[in-house]
């Protein structure tokens, strides 16, 4: 496979994974805004997914409709869900020979849905949850199309590695932002609402309940998000599967390129696997997550350099 094509497919998957994670975070933040409107702020989400100046952020953060429009629909916000879907569709268009017709059709349908007047009206003036849920269903259909129609070839490997690397980044960021902004309440009490919001944001609430029988202990939540091998969004799960798919590239890789990436991915997986962070030490946790995030970005840069020919 040409490096240009591999890069295109890899980034297609990253854009789509980023969109789904972002919409879920927005969805849960919106629910939180309805549960406790007086103690709520959109500022952490705007910092993560918006490109606003300090003055614009101050003017926007208290207006939920304006925030949702900026994060989801704004064509001038490079990080908006709309622009992520647009970029994914453009990547799919240029790599149509390497994806199935069903995958292309799902992306095309998603693009037309997110730019439709009906979705815009729901998000701006109607029931935002319905609009967000409709978009997320398109993301689930895309995931199903990839799983059920893509051949397990090199293209599927790059798609999957892009998805897993982006998912690990999103898990790291969501955990860091949620914990940093609610450190006191996260570590006090066994049933803090923020713990539930965190798990919902990562699609892990249901599995956590089954695993820990409803005991909302901060350390249990932290270990679940970092280390649970059965939780698809845990850092350990993402990195373990990333290593497995990367190993499949060995035969088609230059030895020096493969060895560099193998070392980086393996070091990062062990860094997470043998971490001893505690909910009682939020500063240590924040340092660990920042370090993990940087290592994930370093892996992404190395992929670009050694496999996609990007400087």
């Amino acid at each position: 496979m040409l490096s240009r094509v591999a890069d295109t497919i890899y980034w297609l998957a990253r854009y789509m994974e980023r969109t789904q994670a972002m919409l879920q975070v927005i969805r849960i933040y919106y629910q939180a805004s309805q549960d406790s409107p007086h103690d709520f702020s959109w500022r952490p989400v705007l910092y993560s997914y918006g490109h606003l100046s300090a003055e614009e952020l101050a003017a926007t953060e208290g207006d939920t409709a304006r925030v949702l429009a900026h994060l989801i629909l704004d064509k001038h916000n490079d990080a908006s869900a709309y622009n992520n879907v647009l970029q994914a569709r453009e990547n799919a268009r240029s790599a149509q020979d390497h994806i199935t017709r069903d995958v292309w059709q799902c992306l095309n349908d998603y693009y037309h849905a997110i730019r439709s007047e009906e979705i815009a009206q729901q998000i701006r003036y109607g029931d935002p949850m319905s609009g967000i849920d409709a978009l997320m269903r398109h993301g689930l259909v895309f995931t199903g199309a990839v799983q059920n129609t893509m051949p397990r070839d090199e293209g599927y490997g790059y798609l999957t590695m892009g998805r897993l690397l982006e998912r690990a980044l999103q898990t790291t960021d969501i955990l860091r932002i949620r914990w940093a902004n609610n450190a006191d309440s996260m570590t006090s009490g066994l049933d803090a609402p923020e713990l539930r919001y965190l798990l919902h944001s990562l699609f892990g609430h249901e599995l956590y309940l089954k695993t820990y029988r409803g005991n909302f202990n901060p350390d249990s939540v932290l270990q679940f998000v970092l280390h649970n091998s059965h939780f698809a969004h845990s850092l350990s799960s993402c990195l373990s599967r990333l290593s497995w798919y990367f190993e499949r590239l060995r035969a088609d890789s230059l030895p020096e390129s493969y060895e560099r990436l193998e070392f980086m991915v393996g070091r990062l997986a062990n860094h997470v696997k043998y971490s001893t962070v505690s909910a009682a030490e939020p500063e240590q946790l924040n340092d660990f997550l920042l370090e993990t995030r940087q290592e994930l970005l370093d892996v992404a840069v190395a992929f670009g350099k050694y496999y996609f020919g990007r400087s």
Side-chain angles (χ1 to χ4, degrees), residues 161 164-165 237-246 265 303:
M161 287 188 290
L164 291 170
L165 186 57
S237 175
C238 291
L239 293 171
S240 174
R241 288 180 291 150
L242 179 65
S243 298
W244 189 87
Y245 278 98
F246 179 67
V265 173
F303 260 118

Side-chain angles (χ1 to χ4, degrees), residues 11-145:
W11 271 102
L12 185 163
R14 287 195 62 176
Y15 284 127
M16 292 304 293
E17 183 65 27
R18 187 177 301 172
T19 303
Q20 199 74 348
M22 175 183 180
L23 288 174
Q24 178 69 354
V25 168
I26 295 170
R27 184 178 185 275
I28 300 307
Y29 262 86
Y30 180 78
Q31 286 182 330
S33 74
Q34 305 303 299
D35 293 340
S36 53
H38 300 297
D39 302 321
F40 179 80
S41 173
W42 282 102
R43 184 173 289 262
V45 189
L46 288 168
Y47 271 132
S48 299
Y49 302 116
H51 288 172
L52 297 176
S53 65
E55 294 78 12
E56 290 172 328
L57 192 148
T60 303
E61 64 175 322
D63 186 339
T64 293
R66 188 174 170 185
V67 168
L68 294 177
H70 176 68
L71 295 174
I72 300 172
L73 305 172
D74 191 350
K75 298 178 182 180
H76 302 292
N77 174 15
D78 292 340
S80 70
Y82 170 86
N83 277 317
N84 283 333
V85 174
L86 172 63
Q87 290 295 329
R89 179 176 179 263
E90 291 305 306
N91 280 26
R93 184 198 296 278
S94 64
Q96 285 193 56
D97 291 343
H98 299 273
I99 61 174
T100 62
R101 183 185 300 272
D102 296 282
V103 171
W104 161 252
Q105 190 62 55
C106 290
L107 274 168
N108 197 45
D109 290 345
Y110 200 162
Y111 168 72
H112 288 293
I114 202 168
R115 65 195 293 266
S116 70
E117 188 61 31
E118 179 183 357
I119 292 292
Q121 289 291 326
Q122 283 182 323
I123 289 173
R124 287 192 172 101
Y125 310 113
D127 176 17
M129 290 289 287
S130 297
I132 294 171
D133 286 346
L135 293 176
M136 293 187 70
R137 281 193 292 273
H138 280 281
L140 292 174
V141 171
F142 165 79
T143 301

Side-chain angles (χ1 to χ4, degrees), residues 96-309:
Q96 285 193 56
D97 291 343
H98 299 273
I99 61 174
T100 62
R101 183 185 300 272
D102 296 282
V103 171
W104 161 252
Q105 190 62 55
C106 290
L107 274 168
N108 197 45
D109 290 345
Y110 200 162
Y111 168 72
H112 288 293
I114 202 168
R115 65 195 293 266
S116 70
E117 188 61 31
E118 179 183 357
I119 292 292
Q121 289 291 326
Q122 283 182 323
I123 289 173
R124 287 192 172 101
Y125 310 113
D127 176 17
M129 290 289 287
S130 297
I132 294 171
D133 286 346
L135 293 176
M136 293 187 70
R137 281 193 292 273
H138 280 281
L140 292 174
V141 171
F142 165 79
T143 301
V146 169
Q147 293 298 320
N148 290 293
T149 68
M150 284 285 293
R152 270 33 178 188
D153 57 7
E154 214 177 343
Y156 181 82
Y158 283 113
L159 267 173
T160 305
M161 287 188 290
R163 174 173 57 83
L164 291 170
L165 186 57
E166 184 64 37
R167 180 173 293 181
L169 276 166
Q170 292 296 324
T171 296
T172 302
D173 282 345
I174 292 167
L175 178 56
R176 183 172 59 86
I177 292 165
R178 275 286 185 187
W179 217 280
N181 285 280
N182 302 282
D184 292 338
S185 56
M186 287 286 197
T187 54
S188 64
L190 300 182
D191 197 20
E194 288 78 10
L195 294 175
R196 294 180 182 272
Y197 293 145
L198 170 64
L199 290 167
H200 277 297
S201 296
L202 293 169
F203 303 95
H205 186 262
E206 183 178 359
L207 180 59
Y208 180 88
L209 290 179
K210 292 177 180 178
T211 304
Y212 290 93
R213 302 183 185 278
N215 178 21
F216 278 88
N217 178 281
D219 273 311
S220 297
V221 171
L222 185 58
Q223 297 309 309
F224 177 78
V225 172
L226 293 179
H227 301 301
N228 191 294
S229 61
H230 301 294
F231 176 38
H233 289 257
S234 77
L235 274 180
S236 290
S237 175
C238 291
L239 293 171
S240 174
R241 288 180 291 150
L242 179 65
S243 298
W244 189 87
Y245 278 98
F246 179 67
E247 287 174 9
R248 296 178 63 189
L249 296 179
R250 181 193 291 268
D252 299 312
S253 303
L254 294 173
E256 59 270 21
S257 297
Y258 180 84
E259 289 169 7
R260 286 177 183 270
L261 264 296
E262 181 186 37
F263 173 76
M264 294 178 72
V265 173
R267 181 181 63 186
L268 176 55
N270 285 327
H271 171 69
V272 172
K273 181 178 180 179
Y274 297 110
S275 62
T276 56
V277 292
S278 167
E281 299 180 8
E283 290 185 7
Q284 179 195 26
L285 173 60
N286 188 60
D287 290 343
F288 164 77
L289 293 172
L290 286 173
E291 184 179 352
T292 300
R293 186 180 195 276
Q294 186 57 56
E295 289 195 39
L296 286 166
L297 293 174
D298 290 343
V299 169
V301 170
F303 260 118
K305 180 178 179 180
Y306 296 113
Y307 280 84
F308 307 141

